[in-house]
Amino acid sequence: GGPASLSRFRGALVAAVLGDCVGGEFEGAEEVPMENVLQHLSSLDDETKGNGILEYSDDTAMARCVVQSLLTRASFDEQDMARRFAKEYSASPGRGYGSGVIQVLKKLSSPQLNDVYQPARDQFNGRGSFGNGGAMRAAPFALAFPDQADVKRFARLGAMLTHSCSLGYNGAVLQALAVHLSLQGALDLPQQFISRLITEMEEVEGNEAARNDARILKEAEKPFCERLHRIRDLMDRSKVSIEEVISELGNGIAALHSVPTAIFCVLHCLQPRECLPENYGGLERTIAYSLALGGDTDTIACMAGAIAGAHYGIEAIPQSWIKCCEGAEDADMSAERLHMLYHQSSPGG
Ligand code: R7I
Ligand code: MG
Ligand code: MG
């Protein structure tokens, strides 16, 4: 489809859910042989096995809150979104939430709370969380707002409801920007795609708060920009091993160690790869490759899925995968409503 077509919206939201659901199998595993990944994925095609349904985790649970809030309020409403996070957590606390964020979600359900951003600020001795929980639910912001400045601003504020460290919320901004650009067809020119992300993140990371956090945490001056440069270097190489990807970009629970990794997975899988089956399309390659990195597989596959889904569109997703994943059909319907909201608010359209 063309830029911002319905197929891209559906692809983005559905592939994010698939990444989360199929990635759950390997979350936290240190080494995941590709053979195991391919076996897991091919078991989804096998109806005779009666695999039943793969449940989604906190990644999708919180993304659904974001989607519902944006659709209901037809804009960003921090009170409404915070309420939905709290309600969802108390209804299903067993979805695998990060151990820190649980405190925030409990505080957010208090009726006495005045400032919905305060519980997040209290995390980790007042420094705030740098986990990837803001980034894992950032894709819907790119599907609700056509204007890039809105995508950046609201993805940041949406993440700050739980993640007040700039290394947390800027990961959400980067993820939302990647989906935003992919939706426009920007992955047709991969080198330009990464350059545009670097240009944007130079600005995003150029302020005092970001510089402070980076200094305290002993990271590079502009940590996400630095990682994006590493991606560009890896892209220029003809062969890259999984070990190198992990050591250069990471596969962990910090936004800094997972958002750039997810972006790399998408870029690396734009073309066929030796380690992946020939009959796989780009979206299948992206999901499989994300799982093979091990570590925070549900979240990396979820984020890579959103970016890749916005590029390839819904037609690239195997029906059998959709059938196996809890919430995938639901995401498909929400995507249609987000597509309408996006085009309602686009200037002149
Ligand atoms: O970021 P968050 O919502 O977790 C998301 C992850 C995804 O992989 C999900 O799939 C789920 O499995 O969890 O939750 P947080 O609790 O805010 O952060 C996650 C973890 O990162 C924390 O439990 C800490 O281990 C670590 N962490 C920190 N550690 C030290 N200092 C995050 N921020 C800090 C910090 O400032
Ligand atoms: Mg999860
Ligand atoms: Mg995870």
Side-chain angles (χ1 to χ4, degrees):
S5 65
L6 176 59
S7 171
R8 289 179 186 266
F9 278 69
R10 295 171 65 197
L13 218 53
V14 172
V17 174
L18 296 190
D20 179 17
C21 291
V22 303
E25 172 82 6
F26 305 107
E27 190 181 20
E30 219 171 280
E31 254 176 68
V32 182
M34 186 60 90
E35 205 189 313
N36 297 10
V37 169
L38 299 179
Q39 201 171 17
H40 180 50
L41 291 175
S42 72
S43 80
L44 307 181
D45 298 328
D46 191 352
E47 281 170 40
T48 58
K49 269 194 175 169
N51 284 288
I53 207 116
L54 296 173
E55 288 183 1
Y56 63 74
S57 78
D58 58 327
D59 304 48
T60 301
M62 295 195 87
R64 285 162 62 105
C65 296
V66 172
V67 168
Q68 288 311 318
S69 181
L70 294 174
L71 286 174
T72 311
R73 310 298 302 161
S75 70
F76 176 67
D77 176 341
E78 65 269 24
Q79 306 283 341
D80 181 76
M81 202 172 281
R83 246 193 315 272
R84 286 173 194 274
F85 288 156
K87 210 171 152 205
E88 167 61 33
Y89 172 70
S90 73
S92 314
R95 294 266 187 199
Y97 287 86
S99 56
V101 77
I102 290 169
Q103 305 309 316
V104 180
L105 297 172
K106 285 179 182 161
K107 289 183 191 170
L108 284 179
S109 66
S110 159
Q112 278 102 45
L113 188 71
N114 292 316
D115 180 358
V116 288
Y117 294 106
Q118 192 54 45
R121 287 192 206 106
D122 296 338
Q123 292 296 95
F124 298 97
N125 302 314
R127 260 197 294 107
S129 171
F130 53 61
N132 56 18
M136 74 189 183
R137 59 173 196 259
F141 291 98
L143 305 180
F145 302 104
D147 180 48
Q148 186 170 276
D150 287 339
V151 173
K152 286 158 76 173
R153 179 156 64 105
F154 296 132
R156 174 170 52 80
L157 290 170
M160 284 174 79
L161 291 169
T162 50
H163 291 67
S164 81
C165 177
S166 67
L167 276 97
Y169 63 73
N170 281 342
V173 173
L174 175 55
Q175 168 65 10
L177 277 171
V179 176
H180 171 78
L181 292 181
S182 177
L183 207 59
Q184 315 300 321
L187 278 167
D188 289 336
L189 299 169
Q191 295 292 342
Q192 223 171 308
F193 176 85
I194 204 78
S195 297
R196 287 174 70 183
L197 284 179
I198 291 173
T199 307
E200 290 305 319
M201 292 309 289
E202 284 283 347
E203 193 245 339
V204 169
E205 294 192 286
N207 57 44
E208 194 55 37
R211 268 201 297 269
N212 244 335
D213 287 340
R215 190 172 40 77
I216 292 163
L217 291 163
K218 298 192 168 61
E219 294 291 345
E221 196 180 321
K222 293 180 177 177
F224 285 100
C225 288
E226 190 223 19
R227 300 273 159 159
L228 290 168
H229 283 285
R230 289 191 198 179
I231 293 177
R232 188 187 257 164
D233 294 342
L234 290 172
M235 282 167 75
D236 289 339
R237 305 238 317 265
S238 57
K239 266 210 152 89
V240 183
S241 73
I242 281 186
E243 291 73 28
E244 284 172 288
V245 177
I246 296 170
S247 77
E248 287 293 304
L249 302 175
N251 63 0
I253 211 163
L256 187 62
H257 302 152
S258 49
V259 180
T261 312
I263 292 170
F264 176 77
C265 288
V266 178
L267 291 165
H268 187 71
C269 294
L270 285 170
Q271 58 204 80
R273 294 288 170 185
E274 229 171 71
C275 62
L276 291 159
E278 274 175 44
N279 65 326
Y280 268 19
L283 188 117
E284 294 152 290
R285 287 196 295 269
T286 305
I287 298 281
Y289 190 79
S290 306
L291 304 195
L293 296 180
D296 196 359
T297 47
D298 66 333
T299 305
I300 294 172
C302 170
M303 297 190 294
I307 303 165
H311 177 64
Y312 298 107
I314 189 72
E315 294 79 12
I317 304 178
Q319 268 303 319
S320 57
W321 291 18
I322 295 180
K323 283 208 196 98
C324 289
C325 296
E326 182 193 11
E329 307 265 5
D330 204 64
D332 201 1
M333 289 185 286
S334 296
E336 208 168 320
R337 297 177 60 201
L338 282 168
H339 180 254
M340 277 164 59
L341 176 67
Y342 179 104
H343 286 286
Q344 265 165 29
S345 48
S346 77

